[in-house]
Amino acid sequence: MSGPRIALCGFQIECNRFAPPAGLDAFRAGWLEGEALLADARSPVHSNLGEFNGFVAAMDAAGPWRPVPLLFARAQPD
C-alpha cells in the first residue's frame, strides 16, 4: 500500500473545577489501541472517538494512506 504513514493517537478528558478527578479506571472505560482503534473508527456504530471517525473517513476518501493505530483514551468525570 502506498501513501503517507500516519499515526493515530489521542487522549481526551472532560473536566471542570467542581467535578471529582478522573482516575485511570475512568480512562480504561474509553481505551482503544492497535487495530481495535482503527476498526472502531471505521465501524458504522462506534464508541465515542470524537473527531477520529471523521478524520479516518476523510483520509480513506482522499486516497491511499497507511494508518498506524496506536492508542486513544478518553475519560469523563464521575
Side-chain angles (χ1 to χ4, degrees), residues 1-5 63-66:
M1 179 184 259
S2 61
R5 188 170 182 222
W65 69 302
R66 295 179 294 159

Side-chain angles (χ1 to χ4, degrees), residues 26-54:
F27 278 102
R28 285 189 177 123
W31 191 280
L32 287 170
E33 58 185 291
E35 290 302 318
L37 170 58
L38 190 58
D40 191 85
R42 288 179 168 155
S43 170
V45 178
H46 49 78
S47 62
N48 188 10
L49 291 177
E51 293 80 14
F52 260 83
N53 307 315

